[in-house]
Amino acid sequence: MTSSFTDVAASNATLRAFLHGLPGVDRVGADQRAAMLGTRSIKTTAKARAIDLAISMVDLTTLEGADTPGKVRAMCAKAVHPDPGDPSVPKVAAVCVYPDLVGRAVEALGASGVRVASVATGFPSGRTSLEVKVRDTELAVAAGADEIDMVIDRGAFLSGDYRKVFDEIVAVKAACARDAASGKGDAHLKVILETGELATYDNVRRASWLAMIAGADFIKTSTGKVSPAATLPVTLVMLEAVRDFRDRAGRMVGVKPAGGIRTTKDAVKYLVLVNETAGEDWLTPEWFRLGASSLLNDLLMQREKLATGRYSGPDYVTLD
Amino acid sequence: MFEYAPAPESRDIVDIRPSYGLFINGEWVDSLGDARDKTINPASEEVLAEFAHANEADVDRAVAAARKAYDSVWGRLPGRERAKYLFRIARVVQERARELAVLESLDNGKPIRESRDVDLPLVAAHFFYYAGWADKLEHAGLGPAPRPLGVAAQVIPWNFPLLMLAWKIAPALACGNTVVLKPAETTPLTALAFAEICRQADLPPGVVNIVTGAGDTGQALVNHPDVDKVAFTGSTEVGRLIARSVAGSRKRVTLELGGKAANIVFEDAALDQAVEGVVNGIFFNQGHVCCAGSRLLVQESIEAELLAALKRRLSTLRMGDPLDKNTDIGAINSAAQLAKIRELSEAGEREGAERWSPSCPIPEKGFWFPPTLFTGVAQSHRIAREEIFGPVLSVLTFRTPAEAVEKANNTPYGLSAGVWTEKGSRILWMADRLRAGVVWANTFNRFDPASPFGGYKESGYGREGGRHGLEAYLDVRPM
């Protein structure tokens, strides 16, 4: 927990008073601002830079019940060399898998520098006991996960039990700790708000602050299993929250929109949003990620088109 | 670092003639005098075109053409027929929207993002809206058999050249009047392009006449004895002259003049959106907006927070080439206007207000003024009283809702106001008490053809837009 917020977290009442004391979000205004930023025109050299930046921010993700070690291995290969024919393509930031496949991913990625993220804590609904969530996290961390993507208890949040949500984040954050002797630092904690279920932008802002006060390293929009998943206005509200949080607490928190980001055009809009809302400090894979599975191929195709002037097609990029 | 590459809209899509005449009776004619003016691109000071400076004899010809068209064709045409022409104009405007947007940005200096996304859609919307009214005038609630007035003399400003033209011409034609319109001397090009659109739409000759020129041309037009109606948008100073000159005559007048709007932010407002609204309120169109929110009234308890957020937001505004899609702030329309903005800003400093601007590169050529914020402003400062008509925001504070109302109303103007609060009851309470033609709640500078617009006090009289806008062009006394 960030120390300056000890009093805020003292009880559910103080948490509630704090979260409800945050300035509101006007939906119409936020939507308009996001739409306006979406019309910024990014071309030529700016676009080339944006595409490479976006690739380096991708959390390449597979979260299916049908995931197998083979599928994860193939995805890891792609994460390290997104385009086998072009070594100038940067590697992605991380791969994101279910906890039981963390070991396979760690093995497949080796010393490539691509991180392993895992959705622990009873993903995607989070409807399980705290003990199970903590154990889920511990196992993923033990298997070598660099980042834990946890889901918050939306039921508790919507019923006003902020303290329960807070305590769970604190507990999972503690479970992300790793023995210093392991040579690897603590796993980073990404807190998934599942904004589609929070319904209002006011709730998104409150949940963002709640997660940050509880110690989140990243706040993430969605699991990708609920519609709507990431949207520009929701990400705008979260970027405003991390920006304001740094002003107040002096600590930077990352942002990760996830789900539904499929095209280069979409990705560029998110980068513009980051640039003009939180600022360029956030424009690195360390502080901004794009949770996606199909986005990478579109980025690669657009990259090739910029370089060669020709648009190839889906058969010219690898499938997994 | 993440830099945007320049993405300028191409100017090849507009065809600017080196020289323009007057558009009278459906034809391009030369002025009877030999005075000529030039219009320049305020972002580069490059001469765009030369145009005629109409004299009294020219104005007389134009009014005569409008009278003839009114008597012989337009005044007798059934409403459904007039509607056809207006719908046609609206569609042509839409088809040529990109070209008109580029032309507007070239001539006026406003960012293409605004001319393309705000001005042109509204221009088309106004023609569509009033086309819909043309055959329903007796159902507008203005009397059983409203009749057109005759010939309308219309003088429009340079801040929204084509939009102001649409605000004036669309209701006038819908009601069965014919018009002689004089665009501003710094921005005649889109009005001249509109003359071509009238021809394209097969509008009968003389229904719309465009005379270019300066103040003397406007004066000749307004004073012409055969004019039935005068509509003017512009400065309060000129509005006064016009009111004086038509006083005692049978001419109807509507005046839409200056403003010094208050944008009132309460402590419970959605802060980030309020900041956006304040920015949009004063920096939209470089502040060249008569209803601009040029006075920010902020509740003292959040002053520091709001100012910090505002300064941060101002630092992200992009000033430069108006034709670049990524530009937020374009050029000041003319050297004279720039001088006026500078003069008033210096007065602000002298009077003791604190001036702040983000550091932004200023292009070497053209007329530019960075977005500017004055804090510590008192009601008695000139920058809190006079209309600056530029990207300059004066920040004042208040403590209670009653004080906010008092300060907001303490101005000779009364065109618009903005209220930012999450509390609905307070919005209604404020709207009841603010003496302004438009009160925006949790938004600013929103326009719609269905919504009437006009002022209190020195901001003028009469309403444009909506059902109310019809009244200005109709004789509604019973037959």
Side-chain angles (χ1 to χ4, degrees), chain A residues 154-174:
Chain A
R154 282 87 76 191
F157 182 89
L158 290 171
S159 67
D161 195 352
Y162 301 124
R163 183 61 205 229
K164 181 173 185 217
V165 180
F166 177 86
D167 288 342
E168 289 200 353
I169 298 172
V170 171
V172 173
K173 170 88 179 167

Side-chain angles (χ1 to χ4, degrees), chain A residues 23-26 29-30 32-33 36 39-46 49-50 205 240 243-244 247 271-272 275-276 280 283, chain B residues 1-7 113 116-117 268-273 276 305 312-313 316 318 325-328 422 442-443 446:
Chain A
V25 187
D26 185 83
Q32 267 168 13
R33 174 72 179 146
M36 186 261 131
T39 66
R40 289 281 198 226
S41 164
I42 309 296
K43 289 184 170 162
T44 57
T45 48
R49 208 175 301 139
R205 172 166 290 180
E240 287 167 354
R243 177 198 70 195
D244 295 344
D247 286 349
L271 296 184
V272 170
N275 192 39
E276 299 205 23
E280 62 184 39
L283 276 176
Chain B
M1 204 174 92
F2 186 59
E3 282 273 345
Y4 305 150
R113 184 163 67 74
R116 178 195 62 187
D117 297 347
D268 68 342
L271 200 72
D272 289 302
Q273 285 73 52
E276 280 312 309
E305 205 180 337
R312 182 180 56 219
R313 177 68 180 85
T316 67
R318 307 167 67 89
K325 291 172 190 173
N326 293 325
T327 292
D328 297 316
E422 288 283 274
N442 292 332
T443 187
R446 295 265 130 204

